[in-house]
Amino acid sequence: MKFLFLADPLDRFKIYKDSTYAMMREAAARGHELWACEPRHLAWRTGSRVVARATPVLLTGVSDPWYEAGEPQVVELASFDAVLMRKDPPFDTEYFYATHLLEQAEREGARVFNSARALRDHPEKLAVMEFPQFIAPTLVSRDAEEIREFHAEHGDVVLKPLDGMGGMGIFRVGPDGLNLGSIIETLNQGGTRTIMIQRYLPQIVQGDKRVLVIGGEPIPYVLARIPQGSEIRGNLAAGGKGVAQPLNERDRETARAIGRVLAPRGLLLIGLDIIGECVTEINVTSPTCFQEIAQQTGYDVACTFIDALEAALAG
């Protein structure tokens, strides 16, 4: 089969940890044909189908160079067996427009994973609000007074922008309210931007667990991203230490319940972030941690993903 990976520039991949690379490697091992492009290479002309200026890719099996690129070609997205949307956040206006082009391509027969509408309909931080039984007390607002009231009620809170990634822009404010006003002004930009406020979860010291859910079913290991030093953020991009652990029964039940709701909506792959027993985010754009889990446990996440992708294409 012929797969198009819609991703960041290949030259920026850190292949020792990149989950998209792990997907490509497994797909190539099964004989699938690999192509790649970036969202900026998508186009839609009047009276025509959505196309991409895409490049055929061969993996070399070594780290440098890790791929050989063929000559770019203008190809209809509907001509691929699968289009894998793996562009990293942020979910900005260009990402938003890309989902519209991908949705049009789907109307033309393209198979997009995760589906364009599902990506658009499930912002990674807001998506948790659909599942109040699995989350900590949370407020989404741009109103400074409402945010202050939430802090007064819960005492110890975390504030974050809705479009942040890798732990960027996350603040903790304790019962003393120190710097709360300044933090609100910084994040909501004078009441013009909506932010998220959640009750602080002290279990973060044991790790922010990434639970990967493929085809509605969680894989049997998680990557606990443990904050280091004085940090409250476990994100690997913020210096957290990733430790693979077996999936516990409580998290399995949570992941299965959420996965079985979201998979039928076109979310073949999601990554839940769980602190203690509470889901804090549902990652849908380009969930990661495939390689960290595989390297520490021997469980091949990419193999499970490509199995699920092939099954979805056959169904």
Side-chain angles (χ1 to χ4, degrees), residues 77-96:
L77 266 62
S79 70
F80 293 96
D81 293 286
V83 177
L84 291 93
M85 179 50 156
R86 292 289 300 175
K87 173 70 179 71
D88 282 344
F91 193 110
D92 55 15
T93 53
E94 286 304 316
Y95 195 110
F96 178 77

Side-chain angles (χ1 to χ4, degrees), residues 44-62:
W44 184 18
R45 188 183 292 271
T46 306
S48 299
R49 293 186 167 197
V50 176
V51 299
R53 187 170 180 79
T55 303
V57 175
L58 289 176
L59 304 190
T60 64
V62 298

Side-chain angles (χ1 to χ4, degrees), residues 74-153:
V74 176
V75 190
E76 292 181 357
L77 266 62
S79 70
F80 293 96
D81 293 286
V83 177
L84 291 93
M85 179 50 156
R86 292 289 300 175
K87 173 70 179 71
D88 282 344
F91 193 110
D92 55 15
T93 53
E94 286 304 316
Y95 195 110
F96 178 77
Y97 297 144
T99 66
H100 281 288
L101 294 181
L102 289 172
E103 189 171 12
Q104 173 59 25
E106 288 176 312
R107 288 190 285 267
E108 297 163 0
R111 303 288 302 276
V112 180
F113 302 90
N114 287 324
S115 84
R117 179 179 290 274
L119 288 172
R120 205 165 57 244
D121 287 351
H122 297 84
E124 300 192 324
K125 291 180 175 61
L126 286 176
V128 300
M129 299 297 281
E130 183 179 349
F131 305 98
Q133 68 273 38
F134 298 125
I135 70 175
T138 300
L139 168 69
V140 176
S141 177
R142 67 169 71 176
D143 184 85
E145 188 55 39
E146 196 168 14
I147 295 168
R148 290 180 182 279
E149 290 173 1
F150 185 90
H151 171 261
E153 178 182 357

